[in-house]
Amino acid sequence: MITAVAKKLFGTKHERDIRKLQPVVDQINALEPGIRVLSDRSLREKTDEFRARLAKESDPARQKAMLELILPEAFAVCREASRRTLGMRHFDVQLIGGMVLHQGKIAEMRTGEGKTLVATLPVYLNALLGRGVHLVTVNDYLARRDAEWMGQIYRFLGLTVGVIVHEKNDEERKEAYNCDVTYGQNNEFGFDYLRDNMKFRLEDYVQRNLFYAIVDEVDSILVDEARTPLIISGPTEESTDKYVSVNRIIPLLKKERDFTVDEKAKTVILTEEGMPNIEKALGVTNLYDPEQMETLHHVNQALRAHHLYQLDVDYMLKDGEVVIVDEFTGRLMPGRRWSDGLHQAIEAKEGVKIQNENQTLASITFQNYFRMFEKLAGMTGTADTEAEEFHKIYNLDVVVIPTDKPMIRSDHPDIIFRTEKEKFEAIVEEIKKLHEKKQPALVGTISIEKSERLSKYLKRSGIPHNVLNAKHHEREAEIVKDAGQPAQVTIATNMAGRGTDIVLGPGVAQNGGLFIVGTERHEARRIDNQLRGRSGRQGDPGESRFYLSFEDDLMRIFGTDRMKGMMEKLGMEEGEAIEHSWTTKAIESAQRRVEGHNFDIRKHLLKYDDVMNQQRKIIYALRKEILGKEDIRDVIRQDIQEVAEEMIVAFTHDGKSPEDWEWKGIEENLRKVFGIKMTVDAATLSPRTQEGLRDALLAAIKARHEEREREFGAEFARLLEREIKLRMIDTFWKDHLLNMDHLKEGVGFEGYAQKDPLVVYRKKGFELFSEMIYSTKEATLERLFHVQLAQREPQEALKIFRPRRQQQISLSHPEAAGTAAVAQAQENPQAQKQVAVAGTIRRQGEKVGRNDPCPCGSGKKYKKCHGN
């Protein structure tokens, strides 16, 4: 009651926000006469003038303040450029929308209010800084269309415009990102970020630092598509033959002669005598040659498989597969696999089929990608219902922008039927009446299957109509544009045609406008609102009504038993329906509960992803630091110190006298990691302290490091350090992603022990990350101190580390890709079968060898068919 009174006295929050911006609108309008008389050249020169003013300020805070001072004139200039190039002049409410976007907020604007044009104002203003502005769309078609259409304004004013679409190569992408304004589809931006952080030269990166992005259809991208991450995956190995060939020589090697085993650390150390024996058995000249480092890794894993992992203790054989046994619970863990080639080594040992699996190389959610921008804004016709989520997750406030003309669409109460059959029959009768009086109808369904079903009803009734699917964005936009023509009937999924206006044909406005028929309520109110918003644009007349049944998912699941029972008690006959505003309110209440539940799920998932995001930032920053340096000696020296100190802690047992330290372990690890043969014991150590031991070891390691530099020459030594460090970071990060996936799957059981799974995930995730960072350092040093370049000139050896062939990778964002795949399946039975098989393999983790026949029945090998 108090809230209602306050709203009447002071207005809603949205109304107060709008009132604050009105004086700036007045300023822009006051500048218009002076701007309009400028010649084209003088108007274009305004861009140079603005940039010169901004260039005087180097401090970001002062630049931000200067943008606010420039805003009225810049908006006036942009509006005039739009009038001259497109024949479109921004309305006052569009100026307000532009200011809201510039402030880093979400502008909710009804369909047809010109969001695409609104964005040009803040895009132009912020592009003056020269740091790049991204305009994010939901598909490639809209990215191309808007870059060409709105790009006329920017190019007229002297700015450069680029577009990122799927088929562009890296060179073209880099050029587009270096433009003042870059349009592109959401997936493309995210995948480019991930791909950049897998590259081996900074000059190959295509993206700049992320400054400012405006996300079109922000609710679709930041809410709907945020549930699944973007994933780059690739094969862990091209061939499994090496596991088999290495496995054959393991029985020829003798413990203590060729290798030693540390059961506590679960490691195997090759002896000096063992190296030539292994090289002879494998027919290689030098295992420490850079080209044979992978072979050496296989040997180490094969030895671990044979001497540290036991059948029926660490794993079991089940249905021809190696299944891990949980060391704590003793339970089998089907579907899980040891990383870094160990699982394949055990499969080779047991003589079962060696699985060649795809592994995640990089991933990120839209939430975490877009939160990296310094400033983020969004626009949509439906955001207010998700305002809490936008604020809590993205720190984005929603401002509802008033329409330029009053909205006069009639939204009729929902009609509820007992069965779906009765509902569809009533919809057909309604469409028949509309068709006869030449009033166009847009029929929204929640799935392609329901669209096809309704289409069959209409065909039987002889009503001509179009059915939209999401396969071709260009065709989709074309059909939606024509949906306002007289007597036109268009069936579409609720989300189809987003970003495209429906213009009424001749005589339609006098005939009631576009009639929206909803065939079912969606879980989220904003999807229903998006469908309704297709009608009643720019003050046009229109109507909307939703037809429901008690067999609809929402009605069936969310507490409508009492209403259904009431219908039965009233003795309602087939075809009769309930129509009352109370029923509509009850359904919206159910939708609010579902929205709240879904928000809680997304918030919970994000908390887990935040853990990975922090780790991702550290790894990517480390890669970038190394790529940015010609000389990483300081990094290597720091690694040497940390690994040496960790070794000392592990073998000296703080508190015990030097006589009780594990001297043999110290000597073996010195040789294993640093290639140093050195006798150390309590008698020779002076002073007899951990610090004394550290100084002695670091002196020996430093001398060995300098000796290696002389062997290779300074140029090659620096290149070698960078290359090995990068390779180890990428290898261990890839394995860490797999380990974190397994951890996430397993922590759910912690709830049974009265523990918070998220807390456990954070703690164990930090431990795994710390171990991974240390392992990366140790592996880098081990390879660096052992690598040998037998009979190879340094200049030829340099070729080993020239930029390498891009690894074969696949990109996936399951929910985003689903619409097109399903649409294709509807039109092609063979495609339907392939989609089903691909989904089975991808979602259920079906184990299919890359050289096996593909289960889709194509007759091709899996790697040539669905394996990509």
Side-chain angles (χ1 to χ4, degrees):
M1 182 69 183
I2 295 173
T3 306
V5 172
K7 282 182 180 178
K8 283 185 179 179
L9 289 174
F10 307 110
T12 65
K13 180 184 181 299
H14 298 309
E15 289 168 345
R16 294 196 298 274
D17 289 337
I18 300 301
R19 279 203 297 268
K20 287 178 186 174
L21 298 174
Q22 190 56 49
V24 186
V25 173
D26 296 338
Q27 273 184 275
I28 298 167
N29 288 334
L31 290 167
E32 187 170 22
I35 296 292
R36 184 163 287 194
V37 297
L38 294 176
S39 66
D40 286 357
R41 181 176 177 178
S42 297
L43 191 63
R44 191 174 296 114
E45 286 174 350
K46 282 290 182 182
T47 298
D48 298 328
E49 180 190 319
F50 295 144
R51 281 181 158 167
R53 289 165 67 182
L54 288 164
K56 292 177 183 177
E57 303 291 351
S58 57
D59 179 58
R62 293 179 68 86
Q63 277 191 339
K64 185 179 176 182
M66 180 60 75
L67 272 186
E68 301 304 320
L69 291 174
I70 288 174
L71 185 150
E73 192 174 4
F75 273 33
V77 165
C78 185
R79 178 161 70 176
E80 179 59 22
S82 174
R83 192 185 67 81
R84 295 186 190 186
T85 57
L86 305 179
M88 301 166 73
R89 177 186 174 277
H90 299 75
F91 304 133
D92 286 2
V93 291
Q94 290 176 319
L95 298 178
I96 291 171
M99 284 185 273
V100 168
L101 292 174
H102 167 67
Q103 291 171 351
K105 296 177 181 178
I106 292 174
E108 176 176 303
M109 303 182 70
R110 289 189 181 273
T111 301
E113 291 296 305
K115 294 189 293 293
T116 308
L117 185 64
V118 167
T120 59
L121 298 164
V123 165
Y124 171 67
L125 176 64
N126 285 269
L128 294 170
L129 289 170
R131 299 178 61 191
V133 175
H134 292 21
L135 200 297
V136 187
T137 66
V138 292
N139 60 49
D140 281 357
Y141 164 70
L142 290 175
R144 283 195 195 91
R145 184 200 73 177
D146 294 352
E148 183 57 39
W149 186 21
M150 297 296 125
Q152 296 175 66
I153 299 173
Y154 309 127
R155 286 186 281 269
F156 178 85
L157 290 171
L159 300 182
T160 54
V161 184
V163 60
I164 301 292
V165 287
H166 182 68
E167 61 270 15
K168 293 213 169 185
N169 60 35
D170 274 9
E171 193 175 319
E172 292 167 327
R173 286 170 185 267
K174 189 171 187 176
E175 184 181 346
Y177 281 118
N178 283 329
C179 289
D180 298 309
V181 182
T182 306
Y183 283 81
Q185 194 247 2
N186 50 332
N187 285 2
E188 296 299 322
F189 287 125
F191 281 131
D192 280 342
Y193 170 75
L194 293 176
R195 279 187 293 238
D196 274 356
N197 285 286
M198 295 170 64
K199 289 175 180 170
F200 294 92
R201 300 189 309 172
L202 282 181
E203 54 264 39
D204 291 336
Y205 279 43
V206 298
Q207 285 190 346
R208 294 194 272 174
N209 290 334
L210 304 178
F211 168 52
Y212 177 44
I214 298 175
V215 182
D216 194 9
E217 306 298 357
V218 66
D219 55 324
S220 175
I221 293 173
L222 296 191
V223 177
D224 297 331
E225 295 194 33
R227 286 174 290 192
T228 51
L230 300 172
I231 297 170
I232 294 182
S233 58
T236 52
E237 294 288 341
E238 287 298 326
S239 169
T240 59
D241 295 345
K242 192 162 280 186
Y243 291 104
V244 177
S245 58
V246 169
N247 185 69
R248 289 196 193 105
I249 75 158
I250 300 303
L252 306 176
L253 306 178
K254 292 183 179 178
K255 193 175 178 181
E256 300 303 331
R257 185 195 74 180
D258 298 314
F259 61 91
T260 59
V261 177
D262 185 340
E263 292 187 27
K264 185 172 72 174
K266 282 214 165 188
T267 59
V268 174
I269 301 172
L270 299 177
T271 64
E272 199 169 346
E273 186 182 355
M275 290 302 295
N277 293 336
I278 296 168
E279 288 166 349
K280 184 179 178 182
L282 289 172
V284 300
T285 307
N286 177 15
L287 271 177
Y288 283 116
D289 188 294
E291 292 180 339
Q292 295 297 335
M293 293 301 277
E294 189 180 307
T295 306
L296 179 60
H297 174 70
H298 281 299
V299 171
N300 276 312
Q301 294 296 58
L303 284 168
R304 290 180 70 206
H306 278 262
H307 295 281
L308 288 167
Y309 289 82
Q310 298 177 44
L311 177 65
D312 295 332
V313 176
D314 300 291
Y315 62 90
M316 292 181 68
L317 294 180
K318 188 176 181 183
D319 300 327
E321 291 189 1
V322 172
V323 182
I324 297 173
V325 176
D326 190 302
E327 62 178 310
F328 301 109
T329 66
R331 286 199 293 263
L332 294 180
M333 298 192 290
R336 293 204 188 179
R337 293 175 65 82
W338 283 298
S339 61
D340 207 17
L342 175 61
H343 208 99
Q344 285 95 332
I346 293 173
E347 288 169 335
K349 167 191 168 184
E350 296 297 341
V352 300
K353 180 175 176 55
I354 300 174
Q355 303 287 348
N356 203 332
E357 54 194 36
N358 264 16
Q359 186 170 331
T360 299
L361 304 175
S363 72
I364 194 168
T365 59
F366 280 129
Q367 287 112 318
N368 279 318
Y369 174 70
F370 284 110
R371 289 195 302 181
M372 286 191 290
F373 281 87
E374 285 182 38
K375 185 161 76 169
L376 180 65
M379 50 189 185
T380 180
T382 47
D384 201 30
T385 56
E386 311 292 343
E388 181 187 4
E389 179 164 356
F390 283 123
H391 180 75
K392 288 187 175 178
I393 291 181
Y394 301 100
N395 196 28
L396 287 172
D397 291 329
V398 175
V399 179
V400 178
I401 309 299
T403 55
D404 182 51
K405 296 175 182 175
M407 208 277 288
I408 59 173
R409 185 185 66 236
S410 297
D411 296 326
H412 304 295
D414 298 352
I415 298 181
I416 307 173
F417 294 85
R418 290 187 307 174
T419 66
E420 189 173 66
K421 179 176 177 291
E422 295 172 50
K423 176 182 75 173
F424 275 111
E425 287 171 350
I427 290 171
V428 171
E429 285 303 312
E430 179 71 67
I431 293 172
K432 196 182 291 183
K433 291 175 188 173
L434 295 169
H435 187 66
E436 287 170 357
K437 69 172 195 172
K438 306 291 186 186
Q439 186 173 0
L442 176 65
V443 188
T445 64
I446 65 166
S447 69
I448 291 175
E449 186 268 327
K450 293 288 172 69
S451 297
E452 298 291 332
R453 188 173 169 190
L454 183 57
S455 177
K456 288 175 184 175
Y457 274 93
L458 291 178
K459 282 176 183 174
R460 284 201 294 266
S461 298
I463 300 173
H465 59 280
N466 285 316
V467 180
L468 261 184
N469 62 49
K471 185 178 177 184
H472 300 295
H473 295 301
E474 288 88 345
R475 182 167 171 265
E476 173 183 318
E478 206 174 289
I479 292 172
V480 171
K481 277 181 183 175
D482 292 338
Q485 298 305 309
Q488 192 83 298
V489 177
T490 309
I491 302 176
T493 54
N494 288 2
M495 301 297 285
R498 288 192 75 157
T500 308
D501 288 339
I502 298 176
V503 180
L504 298 182
V508 173
Q510 292 75 27
N511 209 12
L514 179 66
F515 197 111
I516 301 294
V517 177
T519 62
E520 201 164 327
R521 284 283 198 163
H522 196 277
E523 282 186 355
R525 287 170 294 161
R526 62 189 169 79
I527 306 299
D528 296 338
N529 293 340
Q530 184 76 31
L531 177 63
R532 273 200 173 115
R534 295 273 162 236
S535 176
R537 64 183 292 280
Q538 286 290 318
D540 285 341
E543 297 178 72
S544 74
R545 188 191 296 278
F546 279 84
Y547 288 76
L548 316 176
S549 84
F550 286 107
E551 293 178 349
D552 296 349
D553 289 342
L554 188 73
M555 302 290 288
R556 186 169 44 79
I557 297 169
F558 294 99
T560 55
D561 288 344
R562 281 169 52 191
M563 196 182 297
K564 187 176 182 180
M566 183 178 70
M567 288 183 75
E568 290 171 353
K569 285 178 184 176
L570 290 170
M572 298 182 73
E573 297 178 4
E574 184 175 342
E576 289 189 325
I578 294 178
E579 177 184 355
H580 199 283
S581 59
W582 287 358
T583 61
T584 304
K585 288 178 181 175
I587 292 162
E588 289 181 349
S589 177
Q591 288 176 306
R592 274 193 289 270
R593 291 198 300 274
V594 180
E595 288 166 358
H597 175 67
N598 289 339
F599 171 40
D600 288 341
I601 291 173
R602 287 191 293 266
K603 191 166 57 174
H604 187 68
L605 290 173
L606 183 62
K607 286 178 181 176
Y608 279 86
D609 193 59
D610 282 343
V611 176
M612 272 308 308
N613 196 48
Q614 292 303 316
Q615 298 177 2
R616 185 188 301 112
K617 284 180 178 177
I618 292 169
I619 288 295
Y620 286 177
L622 177 60
R623 279 188 103 261
K624 211 164 186 179
E625 178 192 356
I626 292 166
L627 288 171
K629 291 182 174 182
E630 290 293 326
D631 186 342
I632 65 162
R633 266 179 298 188
D634 56 336
V635 176
I636 297 298
R637 286 170 181 163
Q638 183 65 32
D639 289 353
I640 288 171
Q641 180 143 345
E642 288 183 27
V643 171
E645 288 178 351
E646 185 66 29
M647 187 190 304
I648 291 165
V649 170
F651 291 105
T652 58
H653 309 295
D654 197 15
K656 290 188 177 182
S657 66
E659 284 77 11
D660 297 324
W661 291 352
E662 294 181 43
W663 294 103
K664 186 178 178 184
I666 294 171
E667 290 177 1
E668 283 189 350
N669 270 268
L670 266 177
R671 185 176 58 76
K672 173 180 176 287
V673 180
F674 300 104
I676 296 174
K677 291 179 284 184
M678 178 179 177
T679 302
V680 286
D681 54 37
T684 59
L685 183 65
S686 177
R688 290 159 51 89
T689 61
Q690 287 180 323
E691 288 76 15
L693 177 61
R694 184 194 64 193
D695 293 343
L697 295 186
L698 286 175
I701 296 167
K702 183 181 177 184
R704 175 66 177 147
H705 190 207
E706 290 171 353
E707 182 186 331
R708 298 247 77 192
E709 286 186 349
R710 288 192 295 274
E711 289 175 25
F712 297 133
E715 181 186 4
F716 185 71
R718 299 290 79 80
L719 190 59
L720 191 67
E721 288 169 349
R722 289 175 76 249
E723 178 69 16
I724 291 177
K725 182 73 175 176
L726 279 172
R727 285 195 183 191
M728 291 305 100
I729 289 172
D730 290 348
T731 297
F732 282 92
W733 173 244
K734 173 191 68 179
D735 294 339
H736 180 69
L737 289 174
L738 186 65
N739 290 333
M740 290 296 284
D741 281 345
H742 289 167
L743 176 62
K744 190 187 294 185
E745 291 169 11
V747 292
F749 294 107
E750 297 291 343
Y752 294 111
Q754 305 300 310
K755 295 179 181 177
D756 184 342
L758 179 60
V759 173
V760 174
Y761 180 74
R762 282 176 179 154
K763 182 175 181 292
K764 290 188 176 178
F766 175 75
E767 291 170 1
L768 285 173
F769 186 69
S770 300
E771 290 169 12
M772 184 270 294
I773 291 291
Y774 178 78
S775 297
T776 301
K777 294 175 180 178
E778 187 178 62
T780 299
L781 297 175
E782 186 175 340
R783 283 155 178 75
L784 186 61
F785 278 87
H786 285 86
V787 68
Q788 295 174 15
L789 304 175
Q791 299 178 347
R792 185 179 284 142
E793 291 297 320
Q795 287 306 312
E796 186 176 337
L798 283 171
K799 295 176 185 176
I800 300 169
F801 300 116
R802 295 283 149 79
R804 301 190 293 281
R805 174 177 63 88
Q806 181 70 42
Q807 182 180 1
Q808 181 185 356
I809 59 174
S810 59
L811 315 177
S812 63
H813 181 230
E815 291 194 2
T819 311
V822 172
Q824 183 181 0
Q826 292 289 334
E827 298 186 353
N828 182 345
Q830 179 61 23
Q832 189 171 21
K833 184 178 180 183
Q834 290 177 350
V835 169
V837 172
T840 301
I841 294 168
R842 188 171 59 243
R843 293 192 178 93
Q844 297 178 6
E846 184 174 324
K847 297 290 186 272
V848 180
R850 285 175 62 74
N851 292 308
D852 290 349
C854 191
C856 73
S858 64
K860 299 178 184 177
K861 288 183 179 181
Y862 174 59
K863 68 180 179 182
K864 296 286 188 183
C865 194
H866 284 98
N868 292 323

